[in-house]
């Protein structure tokens, strides 16, 4: 009889070990799935941001193509001078609020 009780204890220990191992595998799979989903959501946000930038560049490119096709570069040059360089016409007055920081 004592041999059977040792075998049962040994079998019980094996069952407990198998159950703990199964729980650890399931928990590991859940963690891997969670991190993968989080990474995918981050990549989707990044993709949306990049797509918005692409759309903005395509609109700008279409505007430039239209200016090049019209053969009237004076409008483009005037816009660049006013917006990016801060130039003004000789008779134009500009007022700046210097009271603000």
């Amino acid at each position: 009889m004592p041999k059977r009780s040792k075998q049962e204890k040994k079998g019980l220990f094996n069952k407990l070990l198998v159950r703990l191992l199964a729980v650890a595998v399931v928990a590991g799979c859940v963690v891997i799935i969670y991190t993968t989903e989080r990474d995918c959501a981050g990549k989707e946000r990044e993709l949306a941001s990049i797509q918005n930038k692409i759309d903005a560049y395509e609109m700008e490119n279409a505007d430039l193509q239209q200016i090049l096709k019209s053969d009237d570069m004076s409008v483009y040059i005037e816009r660049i001078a006013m917006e990016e360089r801060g130039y003004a016409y000789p008779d134009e007055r500009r007022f700046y609020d210097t009271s603000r920081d």
Side-chain angles (χ1 to χ4, degrees), residues 82-97:
M82 294 269 192
E83 292 176 2
E84 294 183 12
R85 303 283 182 164
Y87 293 159
Y89 289 110
D91 58 344
E92 183 180 11
R93 288 187 178 181
R94 291 190 179 185
F95 298 97
Y96 299 101
D97 184 11

Side-chain angles (χ1 to χ4, degrees), residues 10-24:
K10 191 174 183 182
L12 185 67
F13 178 71
N14 283 341
K15 288 180 184 178
L16 180 63
L17 185 62
V18 169
R19 286 182 184 168
L20 288 175
L21 185 61
V23 168

Side-chain angles (χ1 to χ4, degrees), residues 2-13:
K3 289 183 180 179
R4 282 191 176 177
S5 64
K6 286 183 183 178
Q7 287 177 353
E8 288 177 9
K9 286 183 181 179
K10 191 174 183 182
L12 185 67
F13 178 71

Side-chain angles (χ1 to χ4, degrees), residues 54-95:
I54 288 172
D55 293 341
Y57 286 131
E58 285 178 350
M59 286 176 44
E60 183 181 353
N61 191 19
D63 289 343
L64 293 174
Q65 287 293 334
Q66 184 179 8
I67 290 170
L68 286 175
K69 286 181 182 177
S70 71
D71 291 332
D72 186 18
M73 295 297 287
S74 62
V75 174
Y76 174 70
I77 292 171
E78 182 179 336
R79 190 183 82 197
I80 295 299
M82 294 269 192
E83 292 176 2
E84 294 183 12
R85 303 283 182 164
Y87 293 159
Y89 289 110
D91 58 344
E92 183 180 11
R93 288 187 178 181
R94 291 190 179 185
F95 298 97

